């Protein structure tokens, strides 16, 4: 290994140890932003297709996510029994975010086992900070910063002064702390197009890390700040929505402008109808490069609020008007329905 590479790894270790002093549990990362250490169980499991390493890698590097039968009862019954997933109980490193530690000795051991590491990841959801990362992306073509400002105005919250990490692509990671009882899930684009959330089981690339795209830094004046408490109104948006079958089915009453499908179908209340039209307008405002992302986001929100089936035809029409084909629109809406667990 070249001297320059050793220097990069040494710097990454120094940054990781500094983060650990602040109570942030860390793991070594490679230039690809994935955990630097390969799973010791890689011969026992099948690697998945990873599309977004920062969203999917924390779960995909957990062995249970790579077992084809881990979450499939039929697969479990059809084949031989697989060993239970290991979260580090074997004592060997290579378990992704489960390796995260604030112990300097353990961190040095992890980096010694991965001399190719050029960065470090900070585990989210762990005490004492219960870190939540708001990732404002720039690669999707959406204005994530504007979307966050719009959410803040609509839901009456402000982002407090806190650590803000800059990414090589021009994005930003806002660090917030959550209450111990809140388990914030990871999500991509659920809050708004271009806004990803790193929660329990996820990690953030730490400032000072060097990746294939460049170096992560901090916005001047924020590096010394502790992660600020997440505003309650924002925290409510980050928590999983209630399942549709757990809530009472919406009914149209006198004076409501319900949404109807042709023939028997769901009927939405006036408030839901207003929200539905807002989602349709959101799709109609899409520019090239945003159409599929906006349609998917709007369809997810519709299904989460119990109006997906009723609103699907209008969302399809809106998507076609902005340039998608009927087939593309139907496929995107069907993916949203599957993701939210709706039929």
């Amino acid at each position: 290994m070249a001297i320059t590479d050793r220097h990069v790894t040494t710097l990454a270790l120094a940054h990781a140890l500094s983060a650990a002093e602040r109570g942030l549990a860390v793991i070594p990362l490679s230039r690809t932003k994935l955990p630097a250490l390969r799973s010791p169980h890689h011969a026992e499991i099948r690697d998945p297709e990873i599309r977004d390493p920062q969203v999917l890698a924390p779960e995909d590097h957990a062995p249970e996510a790579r077992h084809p039968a881990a979450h499939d009862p039929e697969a479990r019954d059809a084949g031989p029994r697989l060993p239970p997933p290991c979260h580090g109980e074997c004592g060997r490193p290579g378990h992704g975010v489960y390796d995260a530690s604030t112990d300097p000795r353990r961190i040095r051991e992890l980096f010694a086992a991965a001399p190719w590491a050029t960065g470090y990841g900070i585990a989210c959801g762990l005490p004492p900070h219960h870190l939540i990362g708001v990732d404002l992306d720039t690669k999707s073509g959406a204005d994530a910063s504007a979307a966050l400002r719009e959410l803040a105005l609509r839901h009456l919250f402000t982002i407090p002064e806190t650590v803000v990490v800059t990414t090589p692509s021009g994005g930003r990671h806002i660090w917030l702390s959550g209450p111990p009882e809140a388990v914030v899930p990871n999500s991509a684009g659920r809050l708004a197009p271009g806004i990803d959330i790193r929660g329990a089981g996820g990690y953030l690339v730490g400032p000072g890390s060097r990746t294939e795209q460049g170096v992560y830094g901090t916005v001047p004046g924020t590096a010394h700040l502790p992660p600020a408490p997440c505003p309650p109104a924002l925290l409510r948006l980050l928590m999983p929505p209630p399942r549709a079958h757990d809530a009472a089915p919406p009914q149209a009453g006198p004076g409501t402008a319900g949404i109807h499908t042709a023939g028997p179908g769901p009927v939405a209340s006036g408030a839901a109808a207003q929200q539905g039209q807002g989602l349709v307008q959101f799709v109609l405002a899409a520019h090239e490069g945003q159409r599929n992302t906006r349609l998917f986001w709007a369809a997810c929100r519709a299904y989460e609020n119990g109006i997906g089936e009723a609103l699907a035809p209008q969302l399809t029409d809106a998507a076609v008007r902005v340039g998608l084909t009927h087939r593309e629109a139907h496929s995107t809406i069907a993916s949203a329905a599957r993701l939210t667990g709706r039929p």
Side-chain angles (χ1 to χ4, degrees), residues 37-73:
L37 289 169
R38 188 179 187 182
S39 169
H41 311 289
H42 60 84
E44 308 164 14
I45 52 185
R46 183 183 67 186
D47 290 328
E49 177 185 357
I50 298 175
R51 291 173 295 177
D52 183 346
Q54 285 179 271
V55 173
L56 299 180
E59 291 85 359
D60 288 343
H61 278 262
E64 72 269 27
R66 293 196 296 238
H67 280 293
H71 304 292
D72 186 348

Side-chain angles (χ1 to χ4, degrees), residues 38-338:
R38 188 179 187 182
S39 169
H41 311 289
H42 60 84
E44 308 164 14
I45 52 185
R46 183 183 67 186
D47 290 328
E49 177 185 357
I50 298 175
R51 291 173 295 177
D52 183 346
Q54 285 179 271
V55 173
L56 299 180
E59 291 85 359
D60 288 343
H61 278 262
E64 72 269 27
R66 293 196 296 238
H67 280 293
H71 304 292
D72 186 348
E74 293 183 4
R76 284 198 296 267
D77 295 339
R81 293 281 182 180
L82 291 172
C86 178
H87 293 167
E89 294 86 353
C90 66
R92 293 175 289 174
H95 297 84
V97 75
Y98 294 107
D99 288 343
S101 177
T102 58
D103 179 13
R105 179 177 177 181
R106 177 60 175 165
I107 294 168
R108 288 190 175 90
E109 289 175 350
L110 291 173
F111 273 83
W116 51 86
T118 62
Y120 64 104
I122 298 173
C124 296
L126 299 180
H129 298 292
H130 304 279
L131 190 64
I132 301 167
V134 180
D135 180 357
L136 305 180
D137 201 358
T138 60
K139 297 188 290 292
S140 64
D143 190 339
S145 295
L148 182 60
R149 288 194 296 269
E150 182 181 341
L151 283 170
L153 288 172
R154 187 187 312 163
H155 296 278
L156 304 177
F157 66 84
T158 58
I159 299 296
E161 289 190 356
T162 189
V163 180
V164 180
V165 174
T166 57
T167 75
S169 63
R172 295 193 172 195
H173 295 169
I174 299 173
W175 291 13
L176 299 170
S177 64
E181 68 276 7
V183 181
V184 175
N186 294 285
S187 64
R190 177 184 168 272
L191 195 63
I195 301 180
D196 299 340
I197 301 299
R198 317 294 184 206
Y203 63 85
L204 292 162
V205 179
S209 295
R210 185 175 295 274
T211 70
E212 292 176 343
Q213 290 75 36
V215 181
Y216 283 67
T218 53
V219 170
T222 70
H224 69 286
L225 298 173
C230 182
L234 175 58
L235 184 63
R236 287 193 291 269
L237 295 176
L238 301 182
M239 298 303 289
R243 307 287 288 186
H245 58 262
D246 293 335
Q251 298 292 332
T256 60
I259 300 174
H260 301 268
T261 56
V267 180
S269 67
Q274 184 177 6
Q275 180 194 31
Q277 291 309 308
L279 294 174
V280 171
Q281 292 301 317
F282 180 75
V283 175
L284 288 172
H287 301 293
E288 186 174 357
Q290 301 177 337
R291 297 171 296 196
N292 197 62
T293 299
R294 283 189 169 234
L295 175 61
F296 182 74
W297 184 86
C300 285
R301 304 295 80 74
Y303 277 105
E304 288 173 352
N305 288 281
I307 59 174
E309 184 180 349
L311 197 63
Q314 295 183 53
L315 290 175
T316 301
D317 291 342
V320 170
R321 286 176 61 182
V322 296
L324 293 181
T325 66
H326 278 280
R327 181 176 181 180
E328 290 171 333
H330 284 304
S331 176
T332 298
I333 293 172
S335 295
R338 288 193 297 270

